[in-house]
Amino acid sequence: MTTAPTDSLLVADIGSVTTRAALLDIVNGQFRFVALGEAPSSVAPPFGDMSEGVRHALDHLGQITGRAFLDEDERLILPARADGSGVDAFTATVSAGEPLRAVLVGLMPNISLASAQRLATTSYVRVVELFGLGDRRREDQQLDALLHARPEVVIISGGTENGSQAAVLRLAETVALAAQLMPETARPEILFAGNSAAREKIKTLFANLCHVEVANNLRPELDDEDVASAGRGLAKMYEHLRLKRMAGYNEMSQWRGGGSITPAANAFGNVVRFLGKTADGKNRALGVDLGASSTAVAASFADNLWLTVRADVGVGHSASNLLHHVPLENVTRWLPEGLSADDAHDYIFNKSIHPATLPHEARELYLEHALACECLLLAVSAAQTGWPASASGLLPQFDRIIGTGAALARAPKAGQAALMMLNGLQPTGITQLILDWHVIAPALGAAAALNPVAAVQILETDSFQTLGTAVSLVGRGRIGQTAARIKISGGDEAVDAKVPFGSIKIFRLPPDREVKVALHPAAGFNAGFGVGAAKTLTVRGGAVGLIVDARGRPVAFPSNPAKRMAAVNQWYRELGEYGEP
């Protein structure tokens, strides 16, 4: 990490709606994010080739920088030439394409099958069937279910180390029998993450039938879970079964020097892990990548990363899927004005059909932001099940939270992006809110594999926008009663204010200014130091400032519809109209 192997890097991020090309280069002796080109993605028809969208994004990037990236044959210029054209290295991330269809096979529903389900959420995977010892279906019915599921991957888990093998092998035999009945070209790949003593028997069972990938036991002991090894195996399968079969992948891989292309969620996780290691306090960081088709949640606790992908939840193609998980009322509760159920349904289903559509009216913008809130709530709720320090059901306290994705980055005001993160994530305690306003976090995570120096130097610059510091109070009270008293000194003028329960209050702090903030929560409220405990902090400003969220956790809504709308209006007036993006 003391010498940089490349001078300029180009990273393409291929999403289901938008393809981005980010240029990273040395400026005044340090790596900087230089510019970003964007174009509609071309994975779907009429192009059906991911490379076309990348070329269009490179054309846009060339118009911005005045630099040529493609030669006369429309191939990437590698390495950079003396005239300044081209780049020294290329890599890419992909989140486009359908998730893998997976069947999970395990022993106990609350042990090995639960671990297999957590494993499935670490990549772009959709679980289509589950089998366990408690399955009451006859063997012929299980075979029919396997054939009907048409899995691309079967994840087999179960059996602690040095424990029983027989039960796992019986379930695997049913899968092998089903594979024999499938056309040879439609047979799934097998990921075995169970008792390691059974590996050779599993390989023998599926010999000449299915490709078998082995990983460490998901449950080496009953109270011990290891998802990391199997997660790497599943990511490898995703690349092999999905990405490599996409038109244009081979060409992008050749530009990459024959190397693999990173799933976007895994690349984003690299960035969150870095933010967690460099955070002050508890060394915890949380990241959310809110996409059109999927939502990724990465949580870093010290040196450990928990990655969760909801491949069925997003604000574009997957917008209508959200209504399979939450009632429409959960979405519309975040709106500051009335909207009929029919109008809400129409917009959500149109968004699924035309995900690149931009809101044309304020009410459409409010509804898109409400969709974002519920997507984040659903994704984080799923992710929390595997985290440490989350027994209370509330979000653990994170030092930093970073949000990326077009829905957040293109919010007309920075305060609106902050409000979506507060609504959808509902942090607790003291948290620095960060916005990836260029949507380059996955690109930086992928670039780290080529040049870690470049990624680190860019992460330490202003490529991300600091929205401010959020003080999120946990507790309950009457609407309007004082939840906390805030005293600010060291700024342009001293502040002494009370924040009522049920409200959000903004204190403007310039981004380059540090001030002293004395927090005095009322009895029954916790700002992260204990119930009713006060503390004085040094706080740096941001695009929004100091945000005191006194709505309780989970966020408390008045039961009366008129009062609920009045409360949401206060939140929007306080946050939604402030700060340029």
Side-chain angles (χ1 to χ4, degrees), residues 398-487:
F398 288 96
D399 301 297
R400 294 173 173 174
I401 295 181
I402 179 172
T404 189
L408 295 171
R410 74 184 180 205
K413 303 289 185 179
Q416 293 172 0
L419 184 58
M420 280 186 275
M421 292 170 69
L422 290 172
N423 289 345
L425 303 177
Q426 302 194 16
T428 60
I430 313 299
T431 307
Q432 184 183 44
L433 298 181
I434 302 170
L435 177 65
D436 177 19
W437 55 346
H438 299 298
V439 198
I440 60 168
L444 292 180
L450 289 181
N451 190 333
V453 172
V456 169
Q457 289 183 350
I458 293 169
L459 283 168
E460 292 177 341
T461 64
D462 58 356
S463 298
F464 295 159
Q465 184 183 45
T466 299
L467 297 175
T469 299
V471 178
S472 302
L473 299 167
V474 176
R476 279 286 182 265
R478 299 187 316 277
I479 297 295
Q481 82 172 79
T482 298
R485 186 174 180 179
I486 309 296
K487 295 182 180 181

Side-chain angles (χ1 to χ4, degrees), residues 500-513:
F501 178 70
S503 70
I504 303 177
K505 180 66 177 175
I506 298 297
F507 300 93
R508 317 297 188 201
L509 300 179
D512 57 349
R513 180 75 62 84

